[in-house]
Amino acid sequence: MTGTNPTVAPVTGAPATTVPGSAPGGLVKSVVELDRVVIRLAGDSGDGMQLTGNRFTSETASFGNDLKTLPNFPAEIRAPTGTLPGVSSFQLQFADHDVMTPGDAPDVLVAMNPAALKANLGELPGGGLLIVDSDEFTPRNLAKVGYATNPLEDGSLEGWQTVSVPLTSMTTDALKDSGLGKKEAERSKNMFTLGLLSWMYHRPTEGTIRFLERQFRRKPEIAAANIAAFRAGYNYGDTTEAFTVSYEIKPAPMKPGRYRNISGNQALALGLVAAGRLSGLPVFLGAYPITPASDILHELSRHKSFGVRTFQAEDEIAGIGAALGASFGGALGITTTSGPGVALKGETIGLAVMTELPLVIVDVQRGGPSTGLPTKTEQSDLLQAMFGRNGEAPVPVIAPRSPGDCFAAAVEAARIALAYRTPVMLLSDGYLANGAEPWAIPDTDSLPDLRPAVGFATEPNGSTADGTPEFLPYLRDPETLARAWAIPGTAGMQHRIGGLEKADKTGNISYDPANHDFMTRTRQAKIDGIAASIPPTDVEDPDGDSRVAVIGWGSTYGPIGAACRRIRSSGRKVAQIHLRHINPFPADLGEVLARYDRVICPEMNLGQLALLLRAKYLVDVQSHTQVRGMPFRSAELAAVIQDAIDSTSASLNGAPQ
Amino acid sequence: MTTVELGMPDAPTPIDAAIARSLEQHGPKQTELKGKDFKTDQEVRWCPGCGDYVILNAVQSFLPSLGIAREDMVIVSGIGCSSRFPYYLNTYGMHSIHGRAPAIATGLAASRPDLSVWVVTGDGDALSIGGNHLIHALRRNVNMTILLFNNRIYGLTKGQYSPTSEVGKVTKSTPMGSLDHPFNPVSLAIGADATFVGRAMDSDRKGLTEVLRQAAEHQGTALVEIYQNCNIFNDGAFDLLKDPATGPMWTIPLEHGKPLVFGPDGASCVVRDEFGGLRIAETNQVDASEIVVHDATREDPSYAFALSRLSSQDLRYTPMGVFRSVRKPSYEQMMAEQLHEARLQGAGDLGELLAGGDTWEVGA
Ligand SMILES: Cc1ncc(C[n+]2csc(CCOP(=O)(O)OP(=O)(O)O)c2C)c(N)n1
Ligand code: SF4
Ligand SMILES: [Mg+2]
């Protein structure tokens, strides 16, 4: 039989091939080959959708597909069961080629209850595959979300391929001999669902079984029940007539090497551990818990065997204060937070600017202002990172572009902080933090050696008027303008630093007007000078002669990249510029931007990078913004870019080139 | 790009290397020092007659007795007149921002247990803007000594009332008198379960030095409240206790193991009251066995707390000396132990860490 391909026609248009197979009981099942799929799992916050999604992701990653994920959950730990605010979802796109986003819209939606259906159906394109847990469509649950009639019965789902499966009762049936009560057994329905999906998409199952054994080490009966439910779901897929097609998505060609699946927060934490090892310095993290940054604190707390000290402070200010104190003592001081925390840390960041001590400040951005949207993503702290302090207090700002890239960004943040004796802002966001992708595990030998950047001073570097040798803490390296850094315990190098303006070289308190002017400009010049140590602007322009460029920073890399691909496959030309360094910009950025007739800047804020680019380069950047707490959809971006390209060529038609 | 010996976490860190290098140049650590060795070339900028001078002199002449090399001492301060202190001591120092010194010192002391870490703060710095850091530092018990210069006023900002000013204080910001009730810093510290709490007077060199000595020897966070005269904005704030005519009457000297008898001819004493607290009595009205014998080492803080409550906000019946000094493991020690324990399970290997979890190989 021909598989009715439940997925939207793949972008690359690979026709589905079918391979008839047979299932026990003589049922003929076919296998359809797809090049990519987007699945969204949606359920109640208590249904374990994030765990299910993460497991499916791990299976998919270890199978060798490329993938991107988008967890989306409410800020409340448990909103009332079965309600719209309580819906939690997890979307992933996986493919036999490299993918840049978790997908604009799902091809397959799994809805574990009426609320999940109501909240997500609008985004499932017509004809898409919809799997629902029919057990949950009770009058009470329907009423909770305002369904007057049961959508499974009233014909309203006709536009989709709806498969209604009693997931809950099949799970409890499968576990009736497990010794677990009904309520407890029901909780394994997510694993039943995972089993079913694992069958549908030919996912390897050993990883999940091992995971469940590990996870419930101390509760073997729960481990056994979950594994039984998982297997039951798999076998159900294999035998039922409800699903006659399963899908194969071949592994994606990837660069040779060893891979793992990694989330942004995990990669960031590992990058910080690596930075400690690469610099030889002990890592000290001072942090106060905040979504979506807390997982970095959790992860680093597990790596004490690397000499990593983690300090859960009484508040955000103490978190950064302790980190700065540790830096003064020669540690790699780090603080991790989100936007509200950065607001509180501002004064201490200024102190770090003035004392010229290394410090890494990680801001995992979330929707703002104020408490805003704690679990949703946004890029709206850029200007806060740039300017959110009193006085002229320049701070380098860098941003990772994908979950795995958080690792390299963390190492780079530490490099700049150490080499230039400066606080550095690392701007991740909720999408990167919780999203995941396969990550090529770097060879430790290929990582940069940060030890030369440390260079503690151990000898006097000047002399007093009478010729006595003395230590001048504000004598600078002529190239980097980094000041001399001597740590307590170093004999003969005692000195005092602080937030009051420093006299050049000696670091003594100085209120001299000319000195303040000089020091203010010097601190700025030091940060500007970092540009000399960073690579030129990263431009992806396969055709080489695009007239329109799209520029972005941070987590928009994937959606912009996917949009650019669409544009190119339509025969148009576009350049993608993506910034790792936002302060300072790469030295050639101005020249690069000047090459294009049009520059578009998509951001998940109201145009913060665009403002900086316009101010610095006088380029008429076209800002395209969105603050929905979700990443851009690449189709929408593609439409914006296409418009820009078509109107640019129209306006230039006939004009001398 | 050179590679790092990634598998060897116990290789000397750049910190150890720097210290070793400096010792090669300087010879062995110099621990036999004089008061003048702790002076810096910075001009002291307090108002003439300020109590801060007296404290500075006392500290400068006391520090050598600790036998700690200057490079191993760090003084962290906040903002206020008192917080200028680090500039005048030839140690490492950081004059930080308003109220945050305990937090900064916590990170330093937790990551460098080899250092002797001191905090200098004022009543506004420690109890207003930095109140949160102070109480958490005290309960956490990181090894550091906090000197709280209490002049019962905001000196640097020119004389507004502070969280230790008495009710009704008339200042520029409270022309009709302040409304809020003051903190008793010693009560606050004991309430936060501080392991060491003492109080001393700026002008009492001997008493101050004795409390400082015990505080410095204490393992954990020590808080010393130092009554300090601001002769510009709150002159004479402690005269009741300083005046030879009234001082002995209102001061309760605390000496571990000694009965709490005070006043001219030992006329007054401290006894237990019927609610489990303490009260003042006339010595000749009570049996000698009823007089409380001072014990700073009591685990239960309620005794030290009761002691701190004897004084009123106008300073009558003010105990001076060490209220409480108990042993508890200090934070940085326990932190170091956890690190050590984790390493016993196997020193961190970066390559292994990066390749953690489920991995797969993609062939060429
Ligand atoms: C964030 C901030 N707010 C306000 C100030 C202004 N300020 C400086 S010192 C001070 C009060 C200091 O009082 P105290 O701690 O008692 O120190 P003293 O000057 O009396 O020694 C204030 C309010 C500041 N420096 N920083
Ligand atoms: S204002 Fe008061 S506390 Fe400040 S220096 Fe002058 S006398 Fe001392
Ligand atoms: Mg004061």
Side-chain angles (χ1 to χ4, degrees), chain A residues 347, chain B residues 79-82 98 122-125 129 151 153-157:
Chain A
E347 191 191 12
Chain B
I79 296 291
C81 296
S82 36
H98 203 16
D123 44 322
D125 196 57
I129 196 163
N151 54 13
I153 202 82
Y154 284 180
L156 191 67
T157 46

Side-chain angles (χ1 to χ4, degrees), chain A residues 114-202:
Chain A
L117 179 69
K118 187 152 202 182
N120 289 284
L121 188 63
E123 286 170 69
L124 182 67
L129 178 63
L130 171 66
I131 302 173
V132 293
D133 181 359
S134 54
D135 291 328
E136 289 293 318
F137 282 67
T138 60
R140 195 160 163 253
N141 285 349
L142 292 167
K144 263 189 205 169
V145 290
Y147 274 127
T149 55
N150 187 346
L152 303 185
E153 291 159 5
D154 65 8
S156 62
L157 300 179
E158 260 165 21
W160 294 274
Q161 299 179 59
T162 308
V163 185
S164 127
V165 184
L167 291 168
T168 306
S169 51
M170 286 200 302
T171 305
T172 49
D173 278 355
L175 299 183
K176 62 179 181 298
D177 300 327
S178 67
L180 295 184
K182 184 159 171 289
K183 272 267 157 294
E184 232 176 326
E186 271 179 13
R187 297 188 54 184
S188 297
K189 69 182 170 199
N190 62 333
M191 286 299 119
F192 185 95
T193 311
L194 179 63
L196 173 60
L197 291 171
S198 300
W199 169 81
M200 267 178 80
Y201 293 100
H202 298 208

